[in-house]
């Protein structure tokens, strides 16, 4: 089972910041938080990841709480093309490999 | 920017037939993965592959499935005798030589078994 919980859906006005929350209360100390998105049935697209520090790249910012039990993905100026399902994934390290266990994600709809 | 490619984009087959789905991972990557997504459901891990052998496989990856890296660039998923329930999107992913690094996904192959 996925180690994360996310709200099933959110709306955001175009041009506004989209803040997508994720709970991962059972995360272990060496497990990373990854964010991907999936537009229609395309392949999941990597957005950002982090361990304990906040991270920012050209797509988004990732805010991880100090206790690491939750995080928030921020899309600073959402556009219609950001409409997608967003997945928060705790990367599991078992048997030396790093499979992803996807949850059901948050369906973000950006409204014009 | 390098990307993972997959062929074909769509495949229709009859139940019981063999299918081979092909992937070309990013060129300097050494870890390879297959995932699938049945319509309307979650993305599910199938198998991971490193150094020419399976590292880990899920319960879904039974004896009907196999993976191979036949040359230096391709990574294939074979389903020996397809079932109706194998209809899904199949995604290939790869990550680089540093174990545990970010996985990059291909666009997927939509498989329909009739």
């Amino acid at each position: 089972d996925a180690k994360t919980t996310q709200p099933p859906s959110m709306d955001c006005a175009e041009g506004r910041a989209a803040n997508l929350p994720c709970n991962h209360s059972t995360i272990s100390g060496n497990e990373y938080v990854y964010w991907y998105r999936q537009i229609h049935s395309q392949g999941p697209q990597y957005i950002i990841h982090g361990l304990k520090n906040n991270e920012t790249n050209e797509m988004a910012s990732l805010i991880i709480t100090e206790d690491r039990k939750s995080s928030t993905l921020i899309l600073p100026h959402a556009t219609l093309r950001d409409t997608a399902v967003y997945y928060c994934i705790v990367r599991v390290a078992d048997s030396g490999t790093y499979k992803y266990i996807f949850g059901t994600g948050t369906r973000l709809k950006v409204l014009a | 920017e390098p990307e993972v490619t997959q062929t074909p984009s769509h495949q229709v087959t009859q139940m019981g037939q063999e299918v081979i789905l092909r992937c070309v991972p990013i060129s300097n990557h050494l870890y390879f993965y297959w995932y699938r997504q049945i319509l309307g459901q979650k993305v599910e891990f199938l198998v991971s592959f490193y150094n020419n052998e399976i590292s880990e496989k899920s319960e879904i990856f039974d004896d009907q499935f196999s993976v191979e890296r036949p040359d230096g660039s391709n990574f294939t998923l074979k389903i020996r005798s397809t079932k109706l329930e194998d209809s899904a999107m199949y995604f290939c992913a790869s990550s680089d030589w540093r174990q545990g690094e970010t996985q990059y996904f291909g666009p997927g192959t939509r498989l329909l078994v009739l």
Side-chain angles (χ1 to χ4, degrees), chain A residues 36 38 91 96-99, chain B residues 35 37 55-56 99-100 103:
Chain A
Y36 283 76
Q38 189 176 28
R91 190 186 66 195
T97 60
Y98 293 82
K99 64 186 177 189
Chain B
Y35 293 79
Q37 186 175 32
S55 302
E56 186 177 359
Q99 190 181 31
Q103 294 177 29

Side-chain angles (χ1 to χ4, degrees), chain B residues 84-96:
Chain B
L84 296 176
E85 54 265 38
D86 293 328
S87 295
M89 284 289 289
Y90 288 82
F91 297 110
C92 173
S94 69
S95 62
D96 76 14

Side-chain angles (χ1 to χ4, degrees), chain A residues 13-89:
Chain A
E14 189 179 19
R16 306 298 287 263
N19 297 282
L20 291 93
C22 179
N23 286 322
H24 31 79
S25 58
T26 62
I27 193 169
S28 299
N30 62 347
E31 290 179 330
Y32 282 78
V33 179
Y34 275 76
W35 283 84
Y36 283 76
R37 71 182 182 185
Q38 189 176 28
I39 298 172
H40 299 300
S41 295
Q42 297 175 22
Q45 178 190 20
Y46 168 74
I47 301 173
I48 199 167
H49 73 283
L51 183 62
K52 51 185 175 183
N53 297 323
N54 297 337
E55 302 288 344
T56 295
N57 64 19
E58 64 278 3
M59 287 183 72
S61 295
L62 174 61
I63 309 296
I64 302 174
T65 58
E66 197 169 331
D67 64 7
R68 303 213 321 124
K69 292 185 176 182
S70 66
S71 60
T72 301
L73 178 75
I74 301 172
L75 307 178
H77 305 287
T79 71
L80 298 178
R81 287 177 296 181
D82 292 323
T83 292
V85 178
Y86 287 76
Y87 298 101
C88 169
I89 300 166

Side-chain angles (χ1 to χ4, degrees), chain B residues 5-24:
Chain B
T5 60
Q6 291 185 242
T7 55
S9 58
H10 294 77
Q11 174 126 21
V12 180
T13 190
Q14 295 291 324
M15 189 170 56
Q17 295 296 303
E18 174 183 286
V19 295
I20 297 176
L21 310 183
R22 291 182 169 81
C23 168
V24 178

